[in-house]
Amino acid sequence: MIEERLDKIEDMLAQLITMVGKLSVEQQEMKKEQQETKKDMQEMKKEQQQIKTQLNEIEQKSETRHEQMIERLQVIDRDKDFIWEKTVQNEREIGNLKRLFEQTP
């Protein structure tokens, strides 16, 4: 009877040792996976930072180009106004000349 109990206790201890061993292995594997995950996250953060930097550069270039286009459009608008003024002036002078020629016999 005592021997049966001792055998049961030995079996239970063996099972516990096996379970603890498995848990230890699983824990080590989880630590490795956790470290890999941390490493992946760090790489993702670096990539994200690079993307942010590139986005900032693109935004700056876009803003510069936008300002250049606005400046060009303003120059074109001033040129258009100047041309209209000249055209009106020329038309006025042509009209005056026509009237002069019409009045001259």
Side-chain angles (χ1 to χ4, degrees):
M1 182 96 152
I2 293 179
E3 234 175 88
E4 285 179 19
R5 280 184 150 179
L6 286 175
D7 286 343
K8 281 186 181 182
I9 291 174
E10 275 184 35
D11 287 343
M12 292 171 97
L13 279 174
Q15 285 179 343
L16 280 174
I17 290 171
T18 303
M19 289 171 62
V20 169
K22 286 181 181 178
L23 286 174
S24 179
V25 169
E26 287 177 2
Q27 185 181 21
Q28 292 300 320
E29 288 175 1
M30 287 176 67
K31 281 184 180 180
K32 283 182 183 178
E33 288 177 7
Q34 188 178 24
Q35 287 173 348
E36 289 175 7
T37 302
K38 282 183 180 180
K39 190 177 180 180
D40 289 344
M41 285 179 64
Q42 288 173 345
E43 288 176 11
M44 288 174 64
K45 283 181 180 179
K46 285 180 185 177
E47 289 175 2
Q48 188 179 27
Q49 190 61 37
Q50 289 173 344
I51 290 171
K52 283 181 180 179
T53 302
Q54 289 173 346
L55 254 177
N56 285 337
E57 290 173 2
I58 289 171
E59 285 177 358
Q60 288 174 353
K61 285 179 182 178
S62 177
E63 183 63 29
T64 301
R65 288 181 183 146
H66 176 74
E67 290 172 3
Q68 289 172 348
M69 290 304 296
I70 294 295
E71 186 177 319
R72 286 180 182 175
L73 288 172
Q74 288 172 342
V75 167
I76 290 171
D77 196 42
R78 287 191 297 265
D79 285 349
K80 176 197 62 105
D81 289 344
F82 178 76
I83 290 169
W84 274 104
E85 286 176 23
K86 284 295 188 180
T87 301
V88 168
Q89 233 176 19
N90 289 340
E91 289 293 323
R92 191 175 301 128
E93 288 177 9
I94 290 170
N96 288 338
L97 288 172
K98 280 184 179 180
R99 278 189 222 109
L100 274 175
F101 285 121
E102 288 174 0
Q103 291 175 358
T104 310

